[in-house]
Amino acid sequence: DLTKRHNKIVPYAIYIIFYTIYYYMMREASIPYPLVSVIIVALCIQIACTLISLVWKVSVHMAGAGAIIRALAAYGFILNFKPLPWLCTAISVSGLVGTSRMILRQHNLSQLVIGLLIGFLCGFLGILYLTV
């Protein structure tokens, strides 16, 4: 029963373990660091959402959406390109994801916003500071 937040801790822990393994595999395979930083950001989001889920329910779906939005902005800054069409698409899709989570009564607005903010923070800072 994954509708209760305390039942999600074990799957979250499994995700953290596999993200960590995937990170080491990518590092050993000499994958370019900008690609490896995406896994590090995903790991940071998962850890942050797991810790917050111990005391309060948060939307991991929106955290992922927020990370994609901010990572696009960060890569646009780093690589000096204008990601506006991609950002518009990502923002629209994240709006649809958030709306569907509310329609399905899985989250309320504050849980969605906090998840989005976690993704914004981890996505932008992670990509910006890990790849520069």
Side-chain angles (χ1 to χ4, degrees):
D1 184 24
L2 294 178
T3 57
K4 297 178 179 70
R5 70 179 144 83
H6 64 272
N7 290 342
K8 294 181 180 183
I9 301 302
V10 172
Y12 286 175
I14 292 170
Y15 288 137
I16 290 169
I17 290 167
F18 281 110
Y19 277 134
T20 304
I21 292 169
Y22 190 44
Y23 164 72
Y24 284 112
M25 288 172 59
M26 289 180 77
R27 203 175 73 176
E28 290 298 316
S30 299
I31 303 295
Y33 201 74
L35 296 176
V36 176
S37 66
V38 173
I39 297 302
I40 295 171
V41 168
L43 180 60
C44 291
I45 289 171
Q46 195 64 51
I47 291 170
C49 288
T50 301
L51 293 175
I52 292 171
S53 292
L54 294 173
V55 293
W56 195 64
K57 187 176 178 182
V58 66
S59 175
V60 181
H61 289 87
M62 290 305 290
I68 290 170
I69 293 167
R70 294 304 279 185
L72 281 169
Y75 278 127
F77 177 75
I78 292 167
L79 301 174
N80 199 23
F81 78 97
K82 305 284 187 227
L84 188 59
W86 295 103
L87 283 171
C88 290
T89 303
I91 290 168
S92 298
V93 170
S94 70
L96 292 172
V97 169
T99 302
S100 70
R101 300 303 290 168
M102 287 183 70
I103 289 172
L104 293 172
R105 299 186 190 277
Q106 296 298 310
H107 295 286
N108 60 36
L109 184 60
S110 61
Q111 295 165 346
L112 295 173
V113 170
I114 295 298
L116 193 66
L117 291 175
I118 290 169
F120 276 4
L121 184 66
C122 292
F124 188 73
L125 295 177
I127 297 297
L128 190 62
Y129 290 113
L130 291 172
T131 56
V132 172

